[in-house]
Amino acid sequence: MATIKEIARACNVSVATVSNILNHKPGASDETRKMVMKKIKEMNYTPNTVARNLKTKNSRSIGVIVEDMTIFSIPDIVDGITEHCEEKNYQILLINLRLFKKYNDTYYNRDDYYGMVQDEIWKLIAKQVEGIIYVAAHERTIRCIPEDLPIPAVMAYGYTKSEKVPSVVVNDEDGAFQITKHIIDQGHRRIGVITGKNDSPHAQERLVGYQRALYESGILYNPSVICTGDWTRISGYRCTDLLLKQQVTAIFCMNDLMAGGVYDRLEELSLKPGEDVSVAGYDNRELSGYYKPPLSTITLPLHDIGYEASEVILEMLSGENREAVRPIYRVNCYPLLRRSVRDIRE
């Protein structure tokens, strides 16, 4: 394999000139640049990026640790990180912990895997990454990133509760406000809710958004039309009868899977979603477009969360406006309105 010195000798130019051309620096004429690039191709020269990174301490790489690539939310977040890194000429080094495959969702409320995370962080640091982005599968408080790392770190889709490690999360309150306001605007006043698990930040913030929409529309909050689910289709099914007994005209489900359970039970009762009872979901899972009728829902800004997490980490690396870096960044959702919410206004 040719060396940079051999390339310089073959072109009768200095090593510095070849180095500048390889690093896209100005100074060489177009003629010299073309000659050097042609010779590099002829002699099959490959830059030693490892040695260069060790010398400059600038690898232009970001370590990305994900909890499990099989969880629906994670690929879009990683895609957002990748897109922004490509725009800024950074590469990513991806680590898949496979936590959901190993433990299902039981690890959400545990911390015994933190040591595994920290081992992977130090492996990435040894590979000269300039920053770390940790991508969670489900929003919750996660304190797995040490605050004394020698490089900056950001968490996507989770809360660190740290001033030093920013969190980039969904603005769930605003998303729930938007979908509830749409239901209200269609004339509904008695709107049932099927929540997620009570300890979930998603469920807590979405309930606040629902309550805010009621308040701003002059509708009293009624706890009797709130049914606790657990994010599964069967919990939506089980809550349906309880809410129908409360004479609700619409049901807001805090995810699309539970909305599917509502559709299942309504069909058994010979009731039609979107006609006899309006139904709305949250998350915009792919399956929601195949419900009959297609489900009105809220699209999670997963790609945008990844993109913003990458923006934040590169801003921290630049050192500019360091005081402007915030502990929490909330990314807004947007509604996808279909035919499952009926207009009942006279």
Side-chain angles (χ1 to χ4, degrees):
M1 184 182 296
T3 66
I4 193 170
K5 289 182 179 179
E6 290 170 341
I7 298 293
R9 190 180 307 118
C11 295
N12 197 27
V13 296
S14 69
V15 171
T17 297
V18 178
S19 177
N20 288 340
I21 291 171
L22 285 170
N23 290 291
H24 309 287
K25 293 181 179 180
S29 67
D30 288 343
E31 183 179 352
T32 301
R33 192 177 300 276
K34 289 177 182 177
M35 177 182 64
V36 169
M37 294 307 296
K38 181 181 179 183
K39 190 61 66 175
I40 283 171
K41 187 175 181 180
E42 289 175 356
M43 298 179 68
N44 195 27
Y45 170 75
T46 303
N48 188 340
T49 55
V50 174
R52 185 182 63 194
N53 292 345
L54 288 171
K55 182 179 179 180
T56 64
K57 297 183 179 180
N58 184 359
S59 66
R60 300 197 72 80
S61 62
I62 299 296
V64 178
I65 301 174
V66 304
E67 291 188 340
D68 199 305
M69 284 298 297
T70 64
I71 299 299
F72 84 96
S73 55
I74 285 183
D76 279 348
I77 296 175
V78 173
D79 184 58
I81 295 169
T82 304
E83 180 181 338
H84 185 254
C85 283
E86 283 182 356
E87 292 173 358
K88 300 300 181 181
N89 195 28
Y90 269 77
Q91 64 176 341
I92 69 168
L93 275 63
L94 181 65
I95 302 294
N96 180 17
L97 298 175
R98 302 182 67 251
L99 294 177
F100 194 86
K101 282 285 188 179
K102 293 173 182 175
Y103 310 115
N104 208 307
D105 64 358
T106 59
Y107 79 91
Y108 289 170
N109 297 312
R110 292 160 41 187
D111 60 12
D112 53 352
Y113 65 92
Y114 285 7
M116 183 195 313
V117 176
Q118 290 161 15
D119 286 345
E120 296 299 336
I121 288 174
W122 287 108
K123 288 177 186 177
L124 286 168
I125 290 174
K127 293 177 181 176
Q128 302 291 310
V129 299
E130 296 182 37
I132 300 283
I133 300 176
Y134 184 90
V135 183
H138 180 77
E139 280 190 8
R140 62 201 192 278
T141 299
I142 313 168
R143 295 187 172 91
C144 62
I145 303 176
E147 293 193 349
D148 58 351
L149 292 181
I151 59 175
V154 170
M155 180 168 290
Y157 212 50
Y159 294 88
T160 64
K161 302 295 184 181
S162 167
E163 297 287 329
K164 296 182 179 179
V165 183
S167 304
V168 183
V169 295
V170 177
N171 191 344
D172 271 315
E173 179 184 336
D174 183 69
F177 172 84
Q178 289 186 67
I179 196 68
T180 306
K181 187 68 168 59
H182 168 66
I183 298 170
I184 294 170
D185 289 344
Q186 302 308 300
H188 298 274
R189 310 289 290 180
R190 198 166 180 83
I191 304 166
V193 178
I194 303 177
T195 73
K197 294 181 179 180
N198 287 330
D199 62 352
S200 166
H202 290 297
Q204 294 162 5
E205 293 192 14
R206 290 172 193 179
L207 185 59
V208 172
Y210 164 82
Q211 292 171 323
R212 180 161 66 89
L214 296 183
Y215 176 79
E216 292 189 9
S217 300
I219 302 172
L220 290 177
Y221 172 67
N222 181 0
S224 67
V225 299
I226 310 298
C227 185
T228 303
D230 62 5
W231 306 117
T232 64
R233 191 170 186 127
I234 191 62
S235 69
Y237 177 95
R238 290 170 177 165
C239 283
T240 302
D241 284 345
L242 296 173
L243 294 176
L244 292 178
K245 287 178 183 177
Q246 295 295 326
Q247 299 181 320
V248 301
T249 62
I251 299 175
F252 164 41
C253 305
M254 289 192 181
N255 78 352
D256 295 342
L257 283 176
M258 295 190 295
V262 174
Y263 273 51
D264 294 341
R265 182 56 181 150
L266 291 178
E267 182 179 2
E268 290 180 354
L269 297 171
S270 298
L271 296 173
K272 294 183 178 180
E275 294 185 25
D276 299 309
V277 181
S278 292
V279 185
Y282 204 110
D283 290 348
N284 188 24
R285 298 287 291 270
E286 184 177 357
L287 56 84
S288 68
Y290 295 97
Y291 291 168
K292 295 183 179 180
L295 182 69
S296 289
T297 186
I298 288 290
T299 296
L300 291 177
L302 299 172
H303 177 277
D304 296 346
I305 286 173
Y307 194 95
E308 182 144 349
S310 180
E311 285 186 316
V312 172
I313 199 80
L314 294 189
E315 183 177 333
M316 294 171 75
L317 282 170
S318 73
E320 298 176 6
N321 298 321
R322 187 67 183 85
E323 66 282 354
V325 175
R326 307 193 301 272
I328 298 178
Y329 294 77
R330 298 187 187 277
V331 183
N332 287 336
C333 307
Y334 47 95
L336 184 59
L337 306 179
R338 296 179 173 129
R339 301 196 310 274
S340 65
V341 177
R342 179 187 169 199
D343 188 341
I344 62 172
R345 293 171 293 180
E346 295 295 337

